[in-house]
Amino acid sequence: MWKKCKRYTFLYGKYFSNHLKVMMEYKADFFIGLFSVMVQQFTALFFLKIVFDHIEVLKGWTFYEILFIYAIAFLGRSIHHIFFDNLWTLGWQYIRSGNFDRLLLRPVNPLFQIVAERVQQDGFGQLIIGGIVLTIASVNLEIEWTVQSLLLLFVFIISSGVLFVAINLFFITFSFWMVDSLPIVVSVFQLSEFAKYPLTIYPKAVTLIITWLIPYGFTAYYPATYFFERESMVAMALITPAIAVLSFVIAYWFWNKGIRAFTSTGS
Amino acid sequence: MRKYLELLKSQIKVETAYLAWYWADVVSTLLRLVIMYFFWVAVFQNRTEISSISFESMITYVVIAMMLENYVSGAGNEMARNIKNGDIALELLKPYDYLTKLIFMDLGSKANSFVRTTIPIFLVANIFIGIQAPVSFEVAILFLASMLVGILIGTQIDLIIGVLAFWTVNVWGVRVLREAIVKFFSGALIPLTLFPGWFQEVSSFLPFQSMIFVPVAIYTGQINMGPDALIAFATQLFWLAVLFVVVRVVWTQAVKKVTVFGG
């Protein structure tokens, strides 16, 4: 197990250093991508700011509370975007083109190969903006940080990233049966937009769906409320890591099922 | 003209070939609409208006703007792709005007957009949300004209972005940037009248508000019928003419670059 870990870490390092070389080759690209993604995030924030210039609270939520939720969503999403972006391309870049067979021939986990084959540098823009927004929001909310709460925040952000990965992995796996399930993934991903706002603004049915069916609610809203000084849903926040792990396990189990279905039709 | 119409038709066929994408577009659009609706309901909780815009008027603005947003881009993507993979050299040899071809293919895409996004939005907005109708027949006519000009302006801006692919390899980044800027300044998300004064000042000198804000504001009555509306419409026409010329100039420069590369 330890040996395997070491080998995969080594391999990822190799892939990563190759990416760095490519990135440095096209420096302008890197900065255009970084800048564009930051502007894009900024648009969403500016929109919120304009609205809050005219109102004080949004159904009981203040501007900085919503910013804080946004920030956690940005950070979780950026983890997914930087390291796992290649998942989107499973259908058209691997299965349709027959590239997936190439991955199966190697003695390395195919999911690892797909993930490692691309680092999406534009995601760093999201990471930067997320960090800035989080700082601004927590200063204004006067959150008292302790080692314990910072650690918890870190765990929440990682969980958020894992959730994005798990949900995408689950739905992209359908590609093994239908060649390319990207349209489904894109539709489902659209649901994550709901999670940007406090879930209390939606009717019960919507909240239930993005909490228990497709758990985007845990990518930002539930963990964020933990840090607000009001009777928040502490329990919901604290089960976030468990939900993330569970989702990933389900998605990975489904993925393996998909691979088996795929290989059996291949010959 | 005939050949361009054929291109338009073939584009419609290509896009409808992927039924899964059709449903994905419909679903995504409706989800966006739902989020938007509940967001605004929450904003209007405990108040009847925001800087003298009523809830009904705001929702009407947002929904119409959402419909238009799907039409203000597209043509540049194909161009950027052609440039990136080198097909552009072949395209230039073909017996049609490349820019006109793109515009017609784009119209084909937009016909699809109409089915995939406008109709679902329109149906849901009418059945569940309830949006206002234009106050008069003249408003409706001017809205349609203004909308058309707005769409054409969007296409020209998109083509400029497409041409940029000659200089920047990363077209994706530039496209994200364009999307963000357009969303910002066009009034796609929120009426520009809610923005701070300085922002309105800046955007009044830019072509973007002609794309979405002007037509929608004519529809919702934020721009009054009469001289105001006519001036706004004239400004749109002005921008369309300017951008049309700019695209052709930038394009000619870019094509020279291709010939240089070609040796």
Side-chain angles (χ1 to χ4, degrees):
Chain A
M1 182 67 192
W2 170 242
K3 232 178 120 183
K4 207 170 166 186
C5 258
K6 240 171 94 178
R7 177 155 166 264
Y8 275 87
T9 313
F10 170 77
L11 274 175
Y12 198 84
K14 277 271 170 226
Y15 276 112
F16 196 81
S17 69
N18 279 340
H19 279 296
L20 279 183
K21 279 179 208 149
V22 175
M23 238 154 79
M24 288 305 113
E25 194 74 26
Y26 302 104
K27 279 203 195 77
D29 268 13
F30 173 68
F31 287 110
I32 292 172
L34 194 75
F35 179 70
S36 308
V37 169
M38 285 169 74
V39 173
Q40 196 183 34
Q41 311 290 341
F42 188 70
T43 319
L45 299 172
F46 195 62
F47 165 72
L48 205 63
K49 178 81 180 73
I50 303 286
V51 173
F52 269 92
D53 279 347
H54 300 272
I55 62 174
E56 255 140 58
V57 287
L58 182 88
K59 225 172 179 176
W61 302 89
T62 66
F63 176 61
Y64 290 108
E65 282 172 334
I66 296 188
L67 270 198
F68 194 86
I69 299 175
Y70 261 58
I72 296 198
F74 282 175
L75 290 169
R77 210 184 269 207
S78 72
I79 293 175
H80 165 261
H81 191 63
I82 296 169
F83 300 106
F84 296 89
D85 204 53
N86 219 15
L87 280 180
W88 297 99
T89 69
L90 177 71
W92 46 276
Q93 238 175 49
Y94 291 91
I95 294 181
R96 179 165 294 155
S97 63
N99 260 329
F100 195 74
D101 303 290
R102 170 174 66 91
L103 303 190
L104 286 174
L105 290 174
R106 295 183 188 155
V108 179
N109 186 321
L111 179 59
F112 173 84
Q113 294 183 61
I114 290 181
V115 169
E117 280 189 359
R118 188 156 105 202
V119 170
Q120 190 60 37
Q121 63 266 28
D122 308 293
F124 289 108
Q126 224 162 358
L127 195 69
I128 295 169
I129 286 275
I132 296 173
V133 174
L134 189 75
T135 313
I136 294 173
S138 60
V139 166
N140 282 284
L141 290 171
E142 294 174 359
I143 297 176
E144 301 268 346
W145 291 107
T146 60
V147 178
Q148 198 196 359
S149 64
L150 273 176
L151 217 69
L152 203 57
L153 176 72
F154 183 73
V155 172
F156 285 159
I157 290 168
I158 301 288
S159 306
S160 170
V162 171
L163 276 165
F164 277 113
V165 175
I167 295 168
N168 268 15
L169 178 63
F170 185 87
F171 288 98
I172 202 70
T173 297
F174 284 103
S175 297
F176 288 117
W177 290 277
M178 55 185 283
V179 182
D180 194 353
S181 65
L182 190 61
I184 300 179
V185 186
V186 169
S187 308
V188 173
F189 195 70
Q190 191 73 37
L191 281 172
S192 71
E193 292 289 310
F194 279 97
K196 278 198 319 200
Y197 300 115
L199 301 193
T200 51
I201 71 169
Y202 306 115
K204 205 96 216 129
V206 174
T207 314
L208 285 176
I209 290 173
I210 58 169
T211 302
W212 303 116
L213 192 62
I214 297 172
Y216 278 124
F218 291 96
T219 60
Y221 171 68
Y222 292 120
T225 52
Y226 180 85
F227 301 96
F228 301 160
E229 282 194 6
R230 51 162 85 193
E231 28 113 25
S232 50
M233 277 162 287
V234 177
M236 290 298 269
L238 291 177
I239 60 168
T240 301
I243 297 283
V245 171
L246 181 69
S247 305
F248 189 80
V249 169
I250 294 174
Y252 190 64
W253 166 81
F254 188 53
W255 162 266
N256 280 329
K257 217 171 139 65
I259 287 189
R260 276 197 299 278
F262 174 73
T263 30
S264 62
T265 56
S267 51
Chain B
M1 192 63 193
R2 219 195 126 75
K3 57 192 173 194
Y4 294 116
L5 286 175
E6 286 303 319
L7 282 164
L8 186 156
K9 268 200 289 190
S10 75
Q11 184 65 17
I12 294 181
K13 278 189 199 145
V14 167
E15 288 188 18
T16 45
Y18 302 106
L19 195 65
W21 277 115
Y22 167 80
W23 286 110
D25 277 350
V26 172
V27 170
S28 298
T29 304
L30 291 182
L31 288 177
R32 268 188 14 239
L33 186 64
V34 169
I35 296 172
M36 204 105 91
Y37 176 74
F38 287 116
F39 175 78
W40 286 106
V41 169
V43 167
F44 274 87
Q45 197 202 26
N46 303 329
R47 55 177 72 73
T48 49
E49 55 177 38
I50 286 174
S51 77
S52 68
I53 303 176
S54 69
F55 174 72
E56 208 191 10
S57 175
M58 184 70 86
I59 265 306
T60 305
Y61 181 94
V62 171
V63 170
I64 306 278
M66 220 181 125
M67 284 188 192
L68 292 196
E69 206 193 335
N70 292 301
Y71 294 99
V72 290
S73 65
N77 300 350
E78 173 76 10
M79 183 197 274
R81 218 182 1 256
N82 285 162
I83 294 171
K84 202 176 178 185
N85 61 23
D87 287 349
I88 194 78
L90 292 174
E91 288 290 337
L92 292 174
L93 294 174
K94 293 198 176 140
Y96 46 57
D97 176 54
Y98 180 63
L99 291 181
T100 312
K101 173 206 159 179
L102 286 182
I103 290 173
F104 272 81
M105 282 177 67
D106 190 47
L107 288 175
S109 293
K110 280 166 183 167
N112 279 324
S113 256
F114 182 76
V115 179
R116 293 166 174 216
T117 59
T118 307
I119 291 181
I121 295 177
F122 184 79
L123 288 177
V124 171
N126 269 294
I127 299 170
F128 298 102
I129 296 179
I131 54 170
Q132 294 168 331
V135 285
S136 68
F137 184 67
E138 291 88 65
V139 168
I141 294 294
L142 190 61
F143 163 69
L144 286 176
S146 168
M147 177 187 84
L148 195 70
V149 178
I151 291 170
L152 291 173
I153 290 175
T155 308
Q156 302 304 317
I157 291 178
D158 209 45
L159 287 176
I160 295 176
I161 298 293
V163 183
L164 286 183
F166 277 114
W167 289 276
T168 67
V169 186
N170 188 348
V171 281
W172 182 82
V174 181
R175 213 156 71 204
V176 170
L177 191 62
R178 183 210 57 134
E179 252 165 51
I181 291 174
V182 167
K183 258 210 169 106
F184 231 54
F185 287 97
S186 68
L189 291 171
I190 195 170
L192 287 175
T193 43
L194 290 179
F195 282 67
W198 62 267
F199 190 93
Q200 292 187 43
E201 187 85 3
V202 172
S203 59
S204 69
F205 290 103
L206 295 172
F208 305 109
Q209 65 171 356
S210 289
M211 294 161 67
I212 297 179
F213 175 69
V214 172
V216 185
I218 287 174
Y219 183 103
T220 55
Q222 276 156 324
I223 295 178
N224 290 321
M225 217 36 195
D228 285 356
L230 290 177
I231 290 171
F233 185 62
T235 314
Q236 279 186 298
L237 291 174
F238 164 78
W239 276 118
L240 180 60
V242 169
L243 289 167
F244 187 82
V245 173
V246 171
V247 171
R248 304 273 148 172
V249 171
V250 178
W251 172 247
T252 327
Q253 292 302 318
V255 169
K256 273 190 203 140
K257 204 172 132 91
V258 174
T259 12
V260 175
F261 275 155

